[in-house]
Amino acid sequence: MMKFKHIFMVLFFAVLFQILGAQAVLSPEVLNKINGAVFEVVVLKPEEGKVEYEKKLPMDRIPFAIRNDKYIPIGTAFLMDDGKFYSAAHVFNLYEESFYNDYYLRAVSGAIYKVGSVLSYSVERDFIVFEAENYKHVKGEGLSVLNEFNLNTPTFSVGNALGEGIIIRNGLLTSQTFEERNGEWKWLRFSAAASPGNSGGPLISPDGMVLGIITMKSENENLNYALPFAETKNIAKNIGTVYLPIFYNLPHILEERAFYEYRNEQKLPKKLTELRKSIILDYKNFTLDIIKDLKKKYDFLGSENFIKGEGSTELLYDSWNPSFSLILAREENKRWDLFLPNDIKEYKLPQNGNVIYGKMLGSVMAIVKKPNDIDQKTLITSPKLYMDYILTASRMYRYIAGEKIAISSYGEPSRSESHVDIYGRKWLVNYWELPFADSEVISFALPVPGGIFVITRIDSISSIRNGHNYDYAFLSDYILPSYSGTFGEWKEFFNLPPKTYPIDPIFSSMKFNFDSKNTAIKAGDYDFVISQKDFAADKDTNMDLSLGFFVKDNKPAFDICAVNMYSNSRSDDYTYIRFAKTLRPPKNAPQDFLEAWQQKIDQAAPYNAKPYNQDQYTCYDETIFMGDIKKSDKEKLDKLYYISLELKQQNRLDEIQKLASQIKKNLKISVKNK
């Protein structure tokens, strides 16, 4: 406690001496003029929203002035002697959606004026000129411009420093530097301290004349930037302009950022609310055009799609049965591959549920396996529920008065929609507003047997609604989920009412049933029936589907490459059955792919239908030649089918041979080789 008091007193006197130093240079007349001409830019403090916390927020520890202020200070503006107000354009989020729709000016007296019509602005130069509603300009009020000045002379930053009211701090006008794009003007650089709330405030001379508008801080040194005031007159009259150089990168294209330039012009004057609405809509359309442009390059029909890229052979001639959903992404060396988070964790929920989660591509990715007392329909129709589970596992916090408080729930989503990806899978899309932070949460969720896969992130309103929403829609085409569950979970998944969730097209022709006599499955190319005496199955028996890509109409689609069924591996009657297919790899495929194909087509061990012992199991593998294809016609085969079996304990050779015979007798392959 004593340490805190010591630091507080040091900071207090440091600020006090700065203010006194400034006041010692500025005359009382100049100070009075500045106090009457400089205003805080404020917005109404938003509602807290629907967020729930693990414990009560310590709001009473927030400083009294901030706690009881109905407004949030976000910047500074100042009045000139022409009766107009000036500030930095970025203070008003002209092209970014926000919870802050109305902007106000607060005078040193506490009087509030709503920002009205915008008269001029340039986002590139970072200035804006506007009127304030119900503000009556009196002749002689306002600051005057100083067009001629010398370097290395005293100057003062005036502004709303960190929301603490109007503060004046001194320094030197150190240099001028060309703006980076075309050198159309020179920024003023100065050493007077400037905090985030100083944006839009005036940079003044010792006699209170305006040199420029404070805009930004140097990234590499302790210097700040201001726009020379004369530049506010160097754009077309009654026109506002936006120029933004943009680097746009898709989350799964790791090595490349695409460069675009956004331009927008608006006829003025125009009310600020109307102006922002018009620019934001146009900027959203521009972003959509960027996505369309990137699709021409990277989607599955694009000029640089993964079929044409490095690593495509390995992807197209293999299959995956991941325990966690995989992301198809292009690395920095432009090679395509499948990825998953490096640090995947598991959090156990009550009633045998769990959350398996990790972080990748700036997002939290999670598979929520439902507890026993929650049915699948309840889970996937309750975004609050599955997001609460994720928040329990992957903690999010709100920081208040030096304490971090865990968020237990975002509440019910503020809006919901859906997205259908290239494979016809329906993603459940939800948004949660966080007004207190001018932020939002987005999630894309895909139901899977026994649970739901979710990808989610928090960011600013603008980034979520005009960026991540498009990125996630694009990314959904590149996600290979984990389709794994118990027989009971699969049955519940298939029995979901179409109005609740239409089944993924990949499963549209799949049939699955088990009872006291048989297990019957039709999936992909496989159609088989297994009796209970050969494979004892119940609701806790497991089934996984291995998926792979195949090319159809010059674009990839998913195919069920393998069906894997197995009972409890810890029990003595553990049985594992796998039906699988593999495609003939091209001649330029990696050597291990060619060797694996040759091993199967030659029916070389272990695919020679001879049982063998391995570890604590008896195993069996056999390549199956279907239809009327003869072994001598190997070159006609474009795909192979094989079965793999396991029984617990070694030397159960006769049993596994008999099981193989029964399976082959009741197995049909619906697609034949060429």
Side-chain angles (χ1 to χ4, degrees):
M1 185 65 181
M2 292 299 294
K3 183 178 180 181
F4 172 80
K5 286 184 177 179
H6 175 71
I7 294 173
F8 176 82
M9 294 304 293
V10 170
L11 293 174
F12 172 80
F13 284 113
V15 173
L16 178 63
F17 290 148
Q18 277 190 317
I19 296 172
L20 292 176
Q23 290 177 336
V25 175
L26 299 177
S27 67
E29 293 79 13
V30 170
L31 286 173
N32 286 335
K33 197 171 187 68
I34 290 172
N35 282 333
V38 179
F39 296 72
E40 292 178 284
V41 178
V42 297
V43 293
L44 282 169
K45 189 178 290 182
E47 298 294 328
E48 277 294 312
K50 303 175 182 178
V51 179
E52 301 169 13
Y53 303 91
E54 283 195 343
K55 63 180 182 178
K56 186 179 178 181
L57 297 177
M59 294 295 193
D60 57 333
R61 280 190 257 139
I62 297 174
F64 176 85
I66 298 174
R67 185 171 73 244
N68 290 279
D69 195 343
K70 63 183 290 188
Y71 296 96
I72 299 175
I74 60 170
T76 307
F78 59 96
L79 176 70
M80 291 295 286
D81 53 15
D82 60 3
K84 301 172 184 176
F85 291 91
Y86 293 76
S87 184
H90 76 261
V91 171
F92 295 86
N93 288 328
L94 293 179
Y95 56 90
E96 294 185 335
E97 198 165 352
S98 170
F99 283 119
Y100 310 142
N101 293 315
D102 295 320
Y103 293 74
Y104 302 86
L105 301 181
R106 181 161 60 185
V108 69
S109 64
I112 298 291
Y113 305 94
K114 185 178 180 180
V115 174
S117 294
V118 175
L119 308 175
S120 178
Y121 67 88
S122 167
V123 168
E124 186 176 20
R125 286 171 167 78
D126 201 5
F127 80 86
I128 186 171
V129 185
F130 57 90
E131 298 173 337
E133 294 181 3
N134 301 319
Y135 183 86
K136 295 182 179 180
H137 177 244
V138 178
K139 188 175 181 180
E141 286 184 339
L143 304 176
S144 301
V145 63
L146 178 65
N147 289 318
E148 295 183 5
F149 43 81
N150 296 316
L151 298 180
N152 298 314
T153 57
T155 188
F156 300 84
S157 64
V158 184
N160 165 31
L162 298 173
E164 296 293 331
I166 302 303
I167 294 178
I168 303 172
R169 292 179 281 189
N170 64 330
L172 294 177
L173 181 63
T174 62
S175 60
Q176 290 182 274
T177 183
F178 282 111
E179 63 89 12
E180 293 184 354
R181 188 164 68 98
N182 295 316
E184 292 183 15
W185 70 89
K186 289 184 177 181
W187 297 104
L188 303 178
R189 296 207 297 176
F190 60 96
S191 62
S195 305
N198 276 99
S199 292
L203 182 68
I204 65 170
S205 65
D207 54 358
M209 303 285 280
V210 175
L211 305 176
I213 302 172
I214 298 170
T215 58
M216 58 183 174
K217 190 176 186 68
S218 172
E219 294 182 0
N220 302 317
E221 51 190 320
N222 190 26
L223 289 174
N224 302 298
Y225 285 73
L227 178 76
F229 191 83
E231 284 301 319
T232 64
K233 311 303 179 184
N234 287 343
I235 66 170
K237 191 175 181 180
N238 298 327
I239 292 291
T241 63
V242 178
Y243 169 78
L244 289 175
I246 298 168
F247 283 98
Y248 199 104
N249 58 294
L250 294 167
H252 60 299
I253 307 298
L254 305 182
E255 92 294 346
E256 188 169 329
R257 298 193 305 163
F259 180 74
Y260 297 88
E261 294 178 300
Y262 174 68
R263 290 180 170 85
N264 178 276
E265 283 192 0
Q266 297 281 327
K267 292 184 178 180
L268 301 173
K270 189 176 287 186
K271 291 289 187 181
L272 177 61
T273 51
E274 180 186 348
L275 175 66
R276 291 186 65 248
K277 184 177 180 180
S278 178
I279 299 175
I280 288 169
L281 178 60
D282 186 67
Y283 190 43
K284 283 188 173 183
N285 290 331
F286 176 77
T287 306
L288 282 171
D289 288 339
I290 289 178
I291 298 298
K292 290 177 183 176
D293 186 49
L294 293 174
K295 280 188 174 182
K296 293 177 184 177
K297 190 173 184 179
Y298 296 117
D299 77 0
F300 292 141
L301 292 176
S303 59
E304 294 188 30
N305 68 59
F306 88 86
I307 296 176
K308 300 177 181 178
E310 290 292 324
S312 62
T313 301
E314 292 89 328
L315 296 170
L316 290 169
Y317 294 90
D318 205 347
S319 61
W320 298 270
N321 176 24
S323 59
F324 193 89
S325 298
L326 298 170
I327 308 295
L328 177 61
R330 194 168 86 164
E331 300 180 80
E332 293 182 359
N333 59 9
K334 297 190 176 183
R335 183 180 182 84
W336 290 89
D337 207 343
L338 288 163
F339 297 87
L340 73 167
N342 289 325
D343 186 20
I344 295 177
K345 301 176 182 178
E346 180 178 357
Y347 180 88
K348 294 187 180 300
L349 299 170
Q351 295 285 318
N352 295 317
N354 62 32
V355 179
I356 305 169
Y357 67 99
K359 294 181 180 180
M360 185 171 67
L361 304 179
S363 302
V364 173
M365 300 180 184
I367 297 175
V368 178
K369 281 289 188 178
K370 67 181 184 63
N372 292 340
D373 57 348
I374 300 293
D375 60 62
Q376 179 99 20
K377 179 180 177 181
T378 298
L379 180 68
I380 68 176
T381 57
S382 305
K384 178 184 184 300
L385 179 62
Y386 58 73
M387 290 300 286
D388 286 356
Y389 287 146
I390 292 172
L391 282 170
T392 302
S394 181
R395 312 284 276 176
M396 298 298 295
Y397 298 92
R398 182 173 175 184
Y399 292 81
I400 293 182
E403 184 176 357
K404 67 177 187 178
I405 312 296
I407 296 173
S408 58
S409 177
Y410 296 132
E412 296 294 340
S414 56
R415 58 195 174 97
S416 301
E417 55 194 34
S418 62
H419 168 74
V420 178
D421 65 20
I422 194 172
Y423 314 107
R425 302 178 302 193
K426 181 180 178 181
W427 291 77
L428 308 175
V429 184
N430 290 282
Y431 300 85
W432 290 263
E433 295 179 349
L434 307 178
F436 64 87
D438 199 24
S439 299
E440 198 165 43
V441 180
I442 185 174
S443 76
F444 268 53
L446 185 72
V448 294
I452 194 165
F453 169 73
V454 183
I455 177 169
T456 181
R457 74 180 298 159
I458 299 176
D459 211 330
S460 68
I461 288 284
S462 180
S463 296
I464 292 292
R465 298 184 183 180
N466 193 37
H468 301 317
N469 54 339
Y470 306 135
D471 291 346
Y472 277 14
F474 203 140
L475 185 63
S476 67
D477 294 344
Y478 295 79
I479 294 177
L480 182 67
S482 171
Y483 289 113
S484 175
T486 65
F487 274 20
E489 290 169 343
W490 275 101
K491 196 168 187 177
E492 186 179 10
F493 182 66
F494 285 128
N495 288 335
L496 285 170
K499 289 185 178 180
T500 299
Y501 185 74
I503 205 71
D504 293 349
I506 193 172
F507 304 127
S508 60
S509 61
M510 184 171 173
K511 296 180 180 179
F512 169 71
N513 188 45
F514 70 97
D515 54 32
S516 59
K517 294 182 179 180
N518 300 301
T519 295
I521 298 177
K522 182 179 180 182
D525 295 352
Y526 315 103
D527 189 346
F528 54 89
V529 177
I530 302 177
S531 68
Q532 281 283 0
K533 67 177 183 179
D534 293 322
F535 181 66
D538 58 24
K539 65 181 181 63
D540 294 321
T541 302
N542 296 283
M543 179 170 68
D544 306 335
L545 298 184
S546 298
L547 299 185
F549 291 104
F550 71 98
V551 180
K552 181 179 180 181
D553 299 329
N554 294 319
K555 64 180 181 181
F558 279 140
D559 190 17
I560 299 175
C561 293
V563 178
N564 313 285
M565 300 184 302
Y566 50 98
S567 54
N568 188 340
S569 61
R570 296 182 180 179
S571 65
D572 288 338
D573 63 349
Y574 165 74
T575 303
Y576 172 86
I577 301 173
R578 173 180 172 86
F579 305 97
K581 74 175 176 182
T582 184
L583 302 179
R584 175 189 287 274
K587 294 180 179 180
N588 62 347
Q591 188 63 31
D592 57 337
F593 277 68
L594 297 172
E595 290 174 354
W597 169 266
Q598 201 63 43
Q599 182 185 26
K600 292 183 179 71
I601 203 170
D602 289 343
Q603 292 185 298
Y607 299 99
N608 55 4
K610 293 182 179 180
Y612 59 95
N613 293 322
Q614 182 171 303
D615 298 327
Q616 301 302 312
Y617 302 96
T618 304
C619 303
Y620 179 97
D621 299 282
E622 180 181 358
T623 302
I624 304 172
F625 292 95
M626 303 305 302
D628 56 359
I629 298 295
K630 299 178 181 178
K631 288 182 64 175
S632 59
D633 295 331
K634 294 177 181 179
E635 294 305 316
K636 296 180 180 180
L637 300 176
D638 65 339
K639 61 177 72 69
L640 286 175
Y641 297 90
Y642 61 96
I643 60 173
S644 296
L645 308 174
E646 287 181 7
L647 296 177
K648 195 165 188 179
Q649 299 177 0
Q650 292 189 354
N651 298 317
R652 299 175 65 181
L653 308 180
D654 292 339
E655 291 178 66
I656 205 167
Q657 191 85 54
K658 181 180 178 182
L659 176 60
S661 298
Q662 289 296 325
I663 287 174
K664 288 188 291 181
K665 183 169 63 176
N666 295 296
L667 172 64
K668 299 177 182 177
I669 302 295
S670 58
V671 178
K672 295 184 178 181
N673 285 290
K674 294 178 181 178

